[in-house]
Amino acid sequence: MKGWARILLWMLLSSSFLYAKSGESSSKLIAKKSLAIRAAAQELVQLLEAQSQWVSKENQELSGQLSGIMLEDSTSYRNKAKGEALAEAWLQEWRRLDFEKEMLQVIKTAQAQSPLPLQAETVQARMTVGWEVQREQGAADFSAAAIKEVYPIARAVAVAEQKRYLEEGLRYPSQPEVDEMFKEVDIKRKQGPLPLKGQDFQSLKSKVRPESIPVDALFDELDQEPTRLADAVVRILAGQYLQQVAAASAPLRNEALSAGVFTAKEMENVMAKSLREGLSANLDARPPIYAGFAIVHEWVENAAQQWEEDRVAAFLKVWPEGSLDVETLREWMQEAFPRHVAFEESLALLQQKTMGARGPLLAAALASAAPEARRMEIKTYFEQSLKTAGGSGLVWRAHVEAVLRRKMPPLRQRIAQTQVADLFPNFGADKPPAESVVAWFYDQNLKEAQTFPQLTEALALDPDWAFAPDPEEPLLAEAETLARETLNQDLVPALKSLEAQLQLLRDMEREGMDALKTKVLAGEKTEELYKRWLKEWEKRWQGIRDQQSLRWQARFARTENELRKTVRQWYETVKDTPFPEESTVSETASAEKGTDIEEPSSPEMIVVEVPLHPVSEPQGPEEEVQESGDSAAGDEAQPGGIQEELEEYRGMADGILAFSDMANGDCRLLFGSPDGKGVLTVGFDPGDVEASAQKIAESLRGPLLEVLNGTASAHESKGFRLFTKSKEPTLSMLFQVDSPKIRHQMSIQVRKMIQKEIEAWAKENGQKAPTLLWQDEMSF
Amino acid sequence: MRNRPDALRQIRSIDDLASSAPKRLFALSPNDALVQISLPLVLILAIMTRLMVIGQSMSEQAESPAILEMWKQLLIYRIDQVMNDWEVSAELRAFPDASRIQWEGTLPQDVRFQTLCSESQTLNDPTAFQLDIYDQALTPDTAKEGAQWVLYDPLSSVIPPGVDTMPSEALITAERRAYALSHISDRLLQWQQQVEELQWATVAEVAFRMPLDAAPEGEGASSELRTILSELAGKGYPFLERILREYEVTP
């Protein structure tokens, strides 16, 4: 009942109120409401139809709004293409909101026209079915049509506006900031008193970049704008710097402005005044006009100093007393000759002497152009200035040094020639140095006398050339060089000839093994073989003799000794080395051809060397293995024998490979186990690693088997000594090297060989091959 | 003992405070206040207003002469006769309300409403229509009423025969004329309101029924009204000028 009562009351009140207010009939009110609804709906339908239509006259308003949006969110609109997509979406939304606004206005108008309450939904329902979809589609069509016209203009406006922000936001550095920046540039440049150039300021661009807009918020079109603005600022700074420099340097270019100026300090004052007068600073202007930069003031100081230095340098060029005569220099040198041996030391002494003697004269000469009243003052100034390490003093010092460097070499060369002539009269007599001198250089593996001590040491071997320098008048460095060069004129061809002779000998060694073997087997004696080889050498030497200096075409005694030694070594080796039967036949056949020296017939016969006095020499292939122990036994008889030597390695390895030097330059290998099994010594040429390794391999085969058998039995009974921790059978080998001639390659070759022998031994005995534990030790 | 009631009240207040029970100052809810107070009050006001109107009417009747004069009776009778005839001929009586109008599609399809609309055009000039009715009422029908029932208004264009011999009772003076015209005017006003009501209802219905124009001639309700009235007029339903000029702003 209460609800009904309320509704009744409301109806009564509202109807009476409305009727009283309007005084119109209800039909009229309803009709006017219907008309308002219809009119609004009619208008909204037209709006909907116009929703998709793009009218160019709206371009200005829309592009203005859009440019504002772009500026507010420039990060999103930075890229042009991406920005266009965003702008299209914005246009669509704008159109939709515009329709909403228009619709609201229309509805408001309708509500105003309607005397009865009118709901927006009533108008929208009267409009059309699906008007929301039509509105969205219309907005999309509108956006697609408008974007091509609106976006370019909006973007251009936004870009222009952002560019304006950038320019307005550009902050010119303050005077102290500019001074600091210029100081860094000046420090980096390090070009002395020359003023900075335009390109020197390029590094400032990063310091003056506009910061009013973050870089990532700049439109793509303005990517280079900060750089351009920075360039402009830097150009302004550089331009003002150059203007200041030009103003300050006016006295340097205009002699009238620098009249009466004699010192750097005076010039600095004149330049500073010129700079002040040429400036009209205004730091509030845009761009500001700066006051004198700090580096310009510094440059003024440097330029004034440079002006004085240039003035002094120019004066020195025409100052007759600046030139030094040679005799004076010689006299100064004689005063303390031992201190003038080295050129640079002599130069420093003479420079000091010259500056002390001529400095006051120069100061007086420089002051001579000054007015009488100031002459003494200027002279005193330059006397002090010329003594300093910088400024005019530096110029003066450099001038003296240049003069001395020009005049000292001829003087010192003359002195050196005199010294050499006095100390080495043989040079003048055209007497060649003795062969002992040449051999000394050859043994030192020198192609010439490279230092004076080498010369001294070598010539001491020849009594005719020995000399003793006077300690009161030591040789100049130039004299030592001259002596060396004079000696080398003879020494170099002599060394070349000796090298050629010994090379011939080496060639014969390489090629004559087969013939020699045949001769040895045929029973030829060593002396006969030597003669045959000497004859062959002479024959070969004749072929290349003319290529040598006339003075050094004779056979050196060293060559003859080497030939004899080589033949003997070959002889001993061949005599003690067994040869296969067929090889002997072959070699015999070769020998029957009547050729003294033949090409090697097999690779293994290329180089086989044995020591001149081998410690132990196997007598033949059949006896080698069994006689290994004999040779060891033989050594044992000697003091400090092989067995004793091997004993030293007890506990260190199962097998020892000890290398040491021999008296004849070859090397010796001592092999065996510390307890005396498989003892062997063999000599070899350490220079030929492969051949020596081959030789060692052949010699070691028997003793190695002995060591292997002994080690295996020891392992069965009580295990290995050093590496018994491993359950696997092992064989440890110590590669002890006491000779610098043994190369690491030798260790590798021998190790490979022993590994191969171990595997063969294991296969033959049906045992597992012990692991080879290899240890290299060098004690030289 | 004299203070016992006050003491009891105070004790009750203390009890209320002790039990934290809020004291209800208003027993009625807003809804109850509306129903129990406002509604009777409004009804009382309405009844009072009606009683005052009735009282005033009765007072006026008490002041009027109890018996009408001859001229008045005759003239009013004739005027009512004329106006009744017009009501019948104009089909006004056929449309006590808009629901009687016959519709087809978006527009009315009703001959009687066409007649009413056409005949109602006379209401656009109520003064002329008033004088016309007045003149018709003065026109004597001697064949039906006899010669003694002739009325004469010197200001009217109707001049009955025998004016010179006509008694003063038959002469319509200015005062009598004003009374007669007022009587006509009152009834014309009722007609006008009834016709407007009908036509506004028709406008509302047409505005609802008629599809929206793809290209309307103007904007706003006035334009829509013009369009609808033009459409109706084209179909033979001329509406009153007051409706036509509804949205016109009076200078």
Side-chain angles (χ1 to χ4, degrees):
Chain A
M1 284 300 290
K2 291 178 181 178
W4 275 107
R6 260 187 301 191
I7 293 168
L8 181 62
L9 176 63
W10 180 82
M11 289 174 66
L12 181 65
L13 287 174
S14 59
S15 59
S16 60
F17 171 75
L18 288 171
Y19 189 82
K21 182 185 176 188
S22 63
E24 295 175 339
S25 66
S26 60
S27 295
K28 183 177 178 182
L29 298 179
I30 293 170
K32 290 179 85 170
K33 178 181 177 181
S34 294
L35 288 172
I37 291 172
R38 180 179 170 83
Q42 197 93 299
E43 200 168 344
L44 291 178
V45 166
Q46 283 183 292
L47 278 176
L48 266 182
E49 288 174 356
Q51 177 79 344
S52 63
Q53 294 170 6
W54 158 242
V55 184
S56 292
K57 65 182 181 184
E58 292 179 324
N59 196 347
Q60 187 175 0
E61 180 195 348
L62 275 180
S63 57
Q65 290 186 32
L66 181 56
S67 65
I69 298 291
M70 292 168 69
L71 284 170
E72 286 177 5
D73 188 13
S74 56
T75 306
S76 302
Y77 283 90
R78 187 176 184 209
N79 180 268
K80 192 171 184 178
K82 291 179 181 175
E84 184 170 348
L86 290 174
E88 189 170 356
W90 178 86
L91 279 171
Q92 187 173 344
E93 179 66 11
W94 177 89
R95 192 61 165 177
R96 195 180 68 77
L97 293 175
D98 183 61
F99 177 82
E100 295 285 344
K101 188 175 70 178
E102 295 281 345
M103 181 171 72
L104 192 61
Q105 186 60 40
V106 168
I107 289 174
K108 278 186 179 177
T109 305
Q111 286 171 337
Q113 290 181 343
S114 170
L116 294 176
L118 177 58
Q119 304 297 319
E121 290 78 9
T122 308
V123 178
Q124 290 167 347
R126 180 69 175 93
M127 184 165 43
T128 181
V129 178
W131 64 273
E132 292 97 338
V133 176
Q134 196 173 342
R135 176 194 62 189
E136 295 301 324
Q137 184 60 45
D141 294 344
F142 167 84
S143 175
I147 189 67
K148 299 300 176 191
E149 290 185 44
V150 174
Y151 183 66
I153 295 175
R155 187 155 186 97
V157 170
V159 167
E161 193 67 6
Q162 197 175 58
K163 185 178 178 183
R164 188 175 64 80
Y165 289 161
L166 272 178
E167 290 173 350
E168 289 179 353
L170 180 62
R171 189 183 71 84
Y172 287 92
S174 64
Q175 178 91 34
E177 288 173 337
V178 176
D179 284 338
E180 187 64 27
M181 287 190 288
F182 280 1
K183 186 178 177 183
E184 290 179 17
V185 171
D186 198 33
I187 290 172
K188 286 180 186 172
R189 184 191 55 146
K190 294 178 180 175
Q191 286 186 0
L194 291 176
L196 296 172
K197 295 177 181 175
Q199 62 267 26
D200 293 330
F201 297 93
Q202 296 304 308
S203 61
L204 296 182
K205 287 180 184 174
S206 61
K207 297 180 185 294
V208 295
R209 291 180 76 83
E211 298 170 352
S212 54
I213 299 176
V215 175
D216 59 353
L218 284 176
F219 295 122
D220 282 349
E221 292 89 331
L222 298 177
D223 271 354
Q224 299 303 316
E225 191 61 14
T227 305
R228 187 188 69 78
L229 292 174
D231 284 348
V233 174
V234 168
R235 275 198 301 276
I236 289 169
L237 294 178
Q240 293 197 18
Y241 168 84
L242 294 175
Q243 286 175 0
Q244 293 186 13
V245 168
S249 62
L252 294 177
R253 300 190 305 271
N254 190 343
E255 291 184 359
L257 295 175
S258 61
V261 175
F262 297 95
T263 66
K265 192 63 185 173
E266 293 170 0
M267 176 54 79
E268 183 182 341
N269 292 335
V270 172
M271 291 175 73
K273 182 183 175 190
S274 177
L275 174 62
R276 283 195 301 274
E277 292 172 350
L279 281 180
S280 56
N282 182 4
L283 294 174
D284 295 330
R286 189 170 174 85
I289 301 173
Y290 294 97
F293 297 124
I295 64 162
V296 173
H297 290 298
E298 291 176 10
W299 174 81
V300 164
E301 186 179 350
N302 292 334
Q305 189 61 47
Q306 185 65 37
W307 170 82
E308 182 187 296
E309 292 172 12
D310 293 344
R311 193 161 170 267
V312 171
F315 183 80
L316 285 171
K317 286 181 183 174
V318 296
W319 186 46
E321 296 175 43
S323 124
L324 296 169
D325 65 295
V326 175
E327 284 310 313
T328 305
L329 294 178
R330 183 193 290 274
E331 288 172 11
W332 286 348
M333 286 178 70
Q334 291 301 331
E335 289 174 3
F337 194 82
R339 296 178 64 189
H340 289 270
V341 168
F343 180 87
E344 292 300 329
E345 190 180 358
S346 175
L347 173 68
L349 289 170
L350 292 175
Q351 190 178 19
Q352 188 176 2
K353 188 86 176 174
T354 306
M355 290 179 70
R358 302 293 176 86
L361 298 176
L362 177 59
L366 288 170
S368 62
E372 182 67 31
R374 297 190 60 204
R375 195 166 294 165
M376 183 55 66
E377 172 203 345
I378 302 299
K379 179 174 179 293
T380 305
Y381 167 79
F382 276 113
E383 281 178 352
Q384 295 301 320
S385 178
L386 292 175
K387 290 177 183 174
T388 58
S392 298
L394 186 64
V395 174
W396 172 226
R397 184 179 298 277
H399 173 76
V400 172
E401 183 181 345
V403 171
L404 289 175
R405 283 194 183 278
R406 195 171 64 248
K407 295 198 171 182
M408 280 175 62
L411 171 62
R412 290 175 63 89
Q413 196 63 30
R414 283 200 296 276
I415 297 172
Q417 286 170 353
T418 306
Q419 287 182 323
V420 170
D422 293 344
L423 203 59
F424 303 100
N426 285 335
F427 283 155
D430 196 21
K431 183 180 178 182
E435 184 181 329
S436 59
V437 176
V438 177
W440 186 89
F441 281 101
Y442 183 81
D443 290 340
Q444 298 296 322
N445 201 22
L446 294 169
K447 301 294 183 188
E448 61 178 6
Q450 294 173 343
T451 64
F452 193 72
Q454 290 174 356
L455 179 144
T456 306
E457 186 176 353
L459 292 183
L461 299 172
D462 187 351
D464 293 339
W465 283 82
F467 64 95
D470 181 3
E472 295 296 323
E473 188 177 338
L475 288 176
L476 295 180
E478 290 87 343
E480 291 182 354
T481 304
L482 181 61
R484 237 178 354 94
E485 291 174 351
T486 308
L487 176 65
N488 282 340
Q489 288 175 3
D490 262 338
L491 184 60
V492 172
L495 285 169
K496 182 183 172 191
S497 178
L498 178 58
E499 172 61 26
Q501 291 182 9
L502 294 177
Q503 183 60 42
L504 277 185
L505 185 55
R506 284 192 285 272
D507 292 344
M508 288 172 61
E509 279 185 81
R510 192 173 63 251
E511 298 167 2
M513 179 60 189
D514 288 349
L516 183 136
K517 196 162 54 178
T518 306
K519 299 298 182 187
V520 171
L521 291 175
E524 194 163 334
K525 299 299 182 187
T526 308
E527 190 59 27
E528 294 173 357
L529 283 172
Y530 168 70
K531 289 179 180 175
R532 189 187 302 278
W533 276 55
L534 182 59
K535 184 180 175 184
E536 175 63 20
W537 184 90
E538 287 290 353
K539 180 182 172 186
R540 295 191 179 201
W541 178 245
Q542 290 301 323
I544 61 172
R545 177 181 181 143
D546 293 341
Q547 297 173 8
Q548 309 304 323
S549 169
L550 277 175
R551 177 172 283 177
W552 302 103
Q553 289 184 352
R555 185 176 68 240
F556 284 92
R558 166 65 66 90
T559 305
E560 192 170 340
N561 288 341
E562 288 294 318
L563 182 60
R564 186 178 295 279
K565 188 176 93 175
T566 303
V567 169
R568 185 179 173 192
Q569 286 176 349
W570 278 99
Y571 179 82
E572 295 290 343
T573 303
V574 173
K575 186 165 75 67
D576 295 338
T577 304
F579 294 99
E581 193 68 23
E582 57 277 14
S583 173
T584 304
V585 172
S586 169
E587 298 306 322
T588 306
S590 300
E592 286 173 354
K593 293 179 182 175
T595 307
D596 291 335
I597 304 296
E598 293 183 352
E599 291 295 322
S601 57
S602 60
E604 66 271 18
M605 302 299 281
I606 291 174
V607 176
V608 178
E609 293 186 16
V610 294
L612 291 174
H613 303 288
V615 177
S616 172
E617 297 179 350
Q619 296 303 312
E622 297 83 4
E623 300 170 355
E624 193 174 53
V625 172
Q626 62 187 25
E627 283 180 6
S628 295
D630 293 341
S631 70
D635 285 328
E636 282 174 357
Q638 299 172 6
I642 296 172
Q643 185 60 45
E644 189 177 339
E645 196 173 340
L646 287 172
E647 279 287 335
E648 296 175 4
Y649 299 104
R650 183 174 291 278
M652 297 175 68
D654 298 326
I656 307 300
L657 291 144
F659 294 84
S660 58
D661 286 328
M662 295 177 64
N664 62 353
D666 287 346
C667 286
R668 186 203 69 164
L669 165 63
L670 169 59
F671 177 76
S673 64
D675 55 0
K677 290 188 177 62
V679 175
L680 165 73
T681 60
V682 59
F684 62 90
D685 178 9
D688 192 343
V689 176
E690 289 192 6
S692 300
Q694 184 67 25
K695 179 181 179 182
I696 289 168
E698 291 174 355
S699 303
L700 275 181
R701 189 166 294 125
L704 180 60
L705 288 174
E706 196 174 336
V707 171
L708 276 170
N709 291 329
T711 306
S713 60
H715 181 65
E716 288 171 357
S717 59
K718 53 186 176 182
F720 293 110
R721 293 177 184 174
L722 185 59
F723 303 99
T724 50
K725 289 182 181 177
S726 172
K727 293 180 181 179
E728 294 292 325
T730 57
L731 177 64
S732 59
M733 285 288 171
L734 175 61
F735 196 86
Q736 176 69 36
V737 181
D738 296 329
S739 169
K741 299 174 184 174
I742 302 301
R743 304 173 195 168
H744 185 62
Q745 189 182 358
M746 177 67 81
S747 171
I748 296 170
Q749 295 282 356
V750 173
R751 183 176 182 173
K752 284 181 182 174
M753 181 275 297
I754 290 177
Q755 184 68 50
K756 192 182 295 180
E757 290 298 328
I758 289 172
E759 289 170 359
W761 172 82
K763 189 175 183 182
E764 186 179 344
N765 293 338
Q767 296 183 12
K768 185 175 182 182
T771 304
L772 177 60
L773 304 175
W774 193 264
Q775 184 179 4
D776 286 329
E777 289 287 345
M778 288 183 288
S779 59
F780 55 88
Chain B
M1 294 298 285
R2 280 185 309 182
N3 297 329
R4 189 170 180 181
D6 296 332
L8 287 173
R9 194 179 304 115
Q10 289 172 359
I11 290 169
R12 195 175 299 119
S13 300
I14 292 170
D15 289 343
D16 289 343
L17 286 172
S19 60
S20 300
K23 190 173 181 179
R24 298 189 63 179
L25 298 177
F26 303 102
L28 296 177
S29 69
N31 193 33
D32 292 341
L34 180 71
V35 173
Q36 296 178 18
I37 298 175
S38 302
L39 185 58
L41 189 64
V42 171
L43 288 175
I44 289 169
L45 287 173
I47 292 168
M48 286 174 64
T49 304
R50 183 59 185 161
L51 289 174
M52 287 172 68
V53 170
I54 293 170
Q56 189 175 4
S57 171
M58 289 176 68
S59 173
E60 288 176 355
Q61 285 181 2
E63 292 174 0
S64 303
I67 300 170
L68 293 175
E69 294 170 283
M70 180 54 77
W71 69 267
K72 185 181 291 184
Q73 188 172 12
L74 183 59
L75 183 56
I76 295 304
Y77 169 78
R78 286 184 180 176
I79 289 170
D80 288 343
Q81 200 85 34
V82 172
M83 295 187 83
N84 287 341
D85 291 344
W86 187 88
E87 279 186 353
V88 173
S89 64
E91 300 288 356
L92 181 60
R93 294 185 177 180
F95 297 99
D97 55 60
S99 62
R100 300 294 179 89
I101 300 172
Q102 302 297 314
W103 290 83
E104 185 177 311
T106 61
L107 294 174
Q109 183 66 34
D110 194 326
V111 176
R112 291 186 301 173
F113 188 60
Q114 278 182 336
T115 303
L116 174 61
C117 290
S118 299
E119 292 299 326
S120 298
Q121 290 300 304
T122 54
L123 291 173
N124 290 330
D125 187 359
T127 305
F129 191 27
Q130 184 185 32
L131 292 176
D132 182 49
I133 291 172
Y134 179 67
D135 287 344
Q136 286 185 48
L138 288 180
T139 302
D141 186 3
T142 53
K144 189 177 177 182
E145 298 176 349
Q148 67 273 25
W149 298 109
V150 175
L151 295 174
Y152 171 62
D153 182 357
L155 297 176
S156 173
S157 58
V158 179
I159 302 174
V163 172
D164 297 335
T165 60
M166 200 172 286
S168 58
E169 183 67 16
L171 182 66
I172 302 299
T173 64
E175 183 181 359
R176 291 175 180 177
R177 175 187 174 91
Y179 175 81
L181 289 176
S182 171
H183 179 76
I184 296 169
S185 175
D186 289 344
R187 197 165 175 184
L188 281 181
L189 184 61
Q190 290 176 4
W191 286 357
Q192 195 173 32
Q193 287 177 346
Q194 186 176 351
V195 172
E196 278 187 23
E197 189 77 11
L198 288 170
Q199 291 188 342
W200 277 120
T202 305
V203 168
E205 190 66 23
V206 173
F208 178 75
R209 293 188 179 212
M210 189 184 286
L212 299 177
D213 291 340
E217 293 177 356
E219 288 182 357
S222 62
S223 174
E224 290 302 317
L225 178 63
R226 281 196 302 274
T227 304
I228 290 171
L229 295 185
S230 172
E231 188 76 17
L232 287 169
K235 296 293 182 181
Y237 302 96
F239 275 32
L240 295 177
E241 285 185 2
R242 275 171 57 86
I243 293 178
L244 279 171
R245 293 176 182 150
E246 174 62 27
Y247 290 100
E248 288 182 5
V249 180
T250 306

